[in-house]
Amino acid sequence: MPYSSDVAAAEALTTSYQKLKNEISKVVIGQDDTVRLLLTAIFCQGHCLLVGVPGLAKTLLIQTIAGALDLDFNRIQFTPDLMPSDILGSETLDQERNFKFIKGPVFANIILADEINRTPPKTQSALLEAMQEYSVTIAGQKYSLGRPFFVLATQNPIEQEGTYPLPEAQLDRFMFNIYLDYPSYQSELDIVKSTTSDKRYDVQRVITGEEIRDFQQLVRRVPVVDNVVEYAVKLVHKTRPNTDMASTDANQYLEWGAGPRASQALILAAKCNALLMGKYSPDIEDVKAVAMPILRHRVVRNFKAEAEGISVEQLIKRLL
């Protein structure tokens, strides 16, 4: 690492984060929490799922973040007729009638999987190996993906027509499930003013792939005191119904709780959140700051919760 110490590297990360926020805010108005979580996932080497109705700038936000990072970027528009080979690539015959592998759009540093739940599970699952193993297998041959590698996916709410729910195994691979709500009145005024004029803003690239890899290693080196780790693991255990540490709400309203990936994600994200806030070690407040988007997609409500209109978010808030 080109820094004299981890403290210097931590300060460089905080500075880079502020620069990234400034560049992104040229194009995307509001959504500060969403930007913070997306950048946290990138510095933690995690994947993100953005959920919201059409028109909330999910795609624009990811494209803008990609523009501020000096990385290869590909966008895949998921449709009902998309095939796995359209994502991963396929073997074709060349002029000498030899098989040659043509790489698909997944071979980039940042993948925007747009409207990921518009395509059937067969095609959704094509991303699973890439997200977990950072490689793809075609015709028995394994191909490694470049690092860093992130999947930033957008999704329309499942209730809308023509969508396929993501399999639980794939949902678990996403570090964060970020829910985008409608902008406030003032934010929407600013959005309309800026997008209906002839002004164009150029987003500058402020951080390279090598710097991102360095920061990812730095995040993992951040020390954490035992009581913070214990708090995170207890929080996850509370979501598991009919276990020794299950909360009353989990036993009453949850069909399924979060797995060990949630505990790992809570600590990694808390470490990064502390660094972005200018601290050198996370506390329990940092765990709480990232708990909702980490747990939201990893717990499953039972029929009673649905019948009584109790949302996943309400249950997580009670646990916190």
Side-chain angles (χ1 to χ4, degrees):
M1 184 176 272
Y3 304 105
S4 57
S5 66
D6 282 351
V7 171
E11 289 168 357
L13 173 57
T14 309
T15 305
S16 296
Y17 170 62
Q18 293 301 329
K19 286 180 183 174
L20 281 168
K21 277 207 315 182
N22 292 339
E23 289 301 314
I24 293 162
S25 65
K26 290 179 183 177
V27 178
V28 179
I29 295 166
Q31 309 287 16
D32 291 341
D33 280 346
T34 304
V35 170
R36 175 179 60 84
L37 289 169
L38 274 167
L39 294 176
T40 298
I42 286 171
F43 292 131
C44 291
Q45 203 173 337
H47 310 291
C48 266
L49 181 65
L50 275 77
V51 181
V53 296
L56 297 184
K58 299 186 295 294
T59 302
L60 177 65
L61 174 57
I62 293 172
Q63 287 176 329
T64 306
I65 287 175
L69 305 173
D70 192 12
L71 298 171
D72 291 333
F73 169 71
N74 277 336
R75 177 176 185 259
I76 306 170
Q77 181 66 50
F78 281 72
T79 57
D81 59 349
L82 197 74
M83 297 297 288
S85 58
D86 296 329
I87 298 171
L88 305 178
S90 58
E91 287 198 321
T92 58
L93 283 169
D94 61 16
Q95 290 176 332
E96 285 77 40
R97 299 189 66 78
N98 295 317
F99 280 106
K100 182 183 177 184
F101 178 62
I102 305 296
K103 290 181 177 179
V106 77
F107 286 87
N109 298 119
I110 300 179
I111 304 299
L112 165 53
D114 217 354
E115 296 192 299
I116 192 171
N117 61 330
R118 290 277 176 208
T119 202
K122 179 181 179 180
T123 307
Q124 290 174 1
S125 65
L127 277 177
L128 264 180
E129 185 185 359
M131 291 170 68
Q132 185 64 31
E133 309 294 336
Y134 299 97
S135 63
V136 297
T137 305
I138 306 289
Q141 179 73 36
K142 197 168 189 175
Y143 299 90
S144 295
L145 298 167
R147 299 289 191 94
F149 175 78
F150 316 104
V151 174
L152 305 177
T154 69
Q155 177 180 309
N156 291 326
I158 296 300
E159 292 79 15
Q160 292 199 351
E161 300 246 351
T163 57
Y164 301 82
L166 280 154
E168 282 75 11
Q170 185 159 1
L171 275 175
D172 198 33
R173 260 72 173 190
F174 285 103
M175 184 175 193
F176 290 138
N177 179 337
I178 304 169
Y179 186 79
L180 272 77
D181 209 345
Y182 291 109
S184 66
Y185 174 74
Q186 186 57 51
S187 291
E188 195 160 342
L189 275 178
D190 295 338
I191 289 165
V192 172
K193 286 175 184 175
S194 70
T195 55
T196 54
S197 71
D198 62 350
K199 279 187 181 177
R200 291 291 176 268
Y201 298 99
D202 291 326
V203 176
Q204 304 296 316
R205 294 180 183 271
V206 295
I207 187 169
T208 65
E210 190 177 347
E211 287 173 315
I212 290 172
R213 286 194 296 273
D214 288 340
F215 289 144
Q216 287 172 344
Q217 293 303 314
L218 172 70
V219 167
R220 289 184 172 270
R221 290 200 300 274
V222 170
V224 190
V225 293
D226 285 348
N227 73 305
V228 175
V229 180
E230 287 163 10
Y231 176 81
V233 175
K234 277 179 186 172
L235 182 61
V236 172
H237 272 258
K238 283 181 187 176
T239 68
R240 298 171 185 168
N242 306 315
T243 59
D244 294 342
M245 297 177 73
S247 69
T248 309
D249 279 334
N251 286 331
Q252 202 170 356
Y253 294 117
L254 291 181
E255 188 80 37
W256 202 255
R261 276 200 191 98
S263 302
Q264 294 167 332
L266 281 170
I267 291 302
L268 266 181
K271 287 180 176 188
C272 186
N273 192 71
L275 289 178
L276 297 184
M277 297 300 118
K279 298 184 289 185
Y280 299 123
S281 182
D283 53 28
I284 286 172
E285 290 307 311
D286 290 302
V287 177
K288 289 180 177 179
V290 296
M292 184 67 77
I294 286 173
L295 296 175
R296 178 188 280 134
H297 57 301
R298 290 184 164 98
V299 298
V300 180
R301 291 181 301 163
N302 61 17
F303 178 76
K304 184 179 182 184
E306 291 180 25
E308 294 183 18
I310 296 171
S311 68
V312 167
E313 284 81 3
Q314 286 173 308
L315 292 170
I316 294 170
K317 281 177 184 172
R318 289 186 198 177
L319 290 176
L320 292 169

